[in-house]
Amino acid sequence: SILENAFNNCSALTEIVIPASVATLGDATNGSAFTGCSALSKVTFLGANTQMLPADANGIPSSATIYGFKGSTAETYASDYNRTFVRITTVASGTCGENLTWTLSDEGELTISGTGAMNDYSSTTAPWKDYNNQIVKVTVGEGVTALWSTNRSQPFNGLTQDFTISL
């Protein structure tokens, strides 16, 4: 949790990213974490269920744009208190080969793109392993030449949801 007045009168604070591990921001009785943060213009929530307290229009400055996931508490707060909301569509991303990248969308689509062969990964070493329970679709770009080598690694074996693959 980030308690009330954590950033009290930080008038030079312009942006903040709230990690997914933060369950509560502010305090229902004692107030907002952003009291006096007049320059705060961008608040990004990486978690879908961060509770913002107090649950009123004073929690985040009215001039701030709120970034978060579709259906999140951040989206609800922005809607309830007439704040600008921008949907985050990329949950995570990284590299998975010399010239390959991966991105995971908020809709659960893992996209592998670029050119060349993917590095060898097992279900426990794949760079997206922390998101296995969110992946419902795997899309492989046309420049990808191999998803694994002859040792038959299984980079998608750890996915826990039913999923589809588009090659």
Side-chain angles (χ1 to χ4, degrees):
S1 293
I2 298 175
L3 298 178
E4 76 280 353
N5 300 316
F7 304 101
N8 189 32
N9 293 319
C10 288
S11 58
L13 177 64
T14 58
E15 296 182 11
I16 189 164
V17 176
I18 308 298
S21 59
V22 173
T24 306
L25 183 61
D27 180 87
T29 304
N30 298 312
S32 169
F34 302 113
T35 303
C37 296
S38 55
L40 188 59
S41 62
K42 181 178 180 182
V43 182
T44 302
F45 289 90
L46 298 181
N49 299 308
T50 301
Q51 185 178 13
M52 286 162 276
L53 300 171
D56 63 27
N58 296 319
I60 295 175
S62 60
S63 59
T65 298
I66 298 172
Y67 291 75
F69 295 107
K70 178 181 177 182
S72 66
T73 53
E75 183 178 31
T76 300
Y77 181 93
S79 175
D80 288 351
Y81 300 109
N82 199 28
R83 303 295 195 270
T84 301
F85 179 78
V86 176
R87 180 178 164 201
I88 297 173
T89 57
T90 300
V91 174
S93 63
T95 60
C96 58
E98 187 173 327
N99 296 306
L100 295 181
T101 60
W102 66 274
T103 57
L104 178 61
S105 77
D106 65 337
E107 301 287 335
E109 181 175 2
L110 174 67
T111 302
I112 299 170
S113 57
T115 58
M118 190 169 79
N119 294 338
D120 279 326
Y121 299 110
S122 70
S123 61
T124 59
T125 63
W128 50 82
K129 69 181 179 335
D130 292 338
Y131 308 96
N132 280 350
N133 65 338
Q134 298 175 38
I135 299 169
V136 295
K137 181 177 183 182
V138 178
T139 300
V140 180
E142 68 179 57
V144 179
T145 59
L147 294 176
W148 52 78
S149 71
T150 56
N151 74 4
R152 298 289 184 219
S153 59
Q154 299 174 335
F156 308 114
N157 217 25
L159 304 186
T160 60
Q161 302 287 325
D162 290 342
F163 68 98
T164 61
I165 294 183
S166 298
L167 303 174

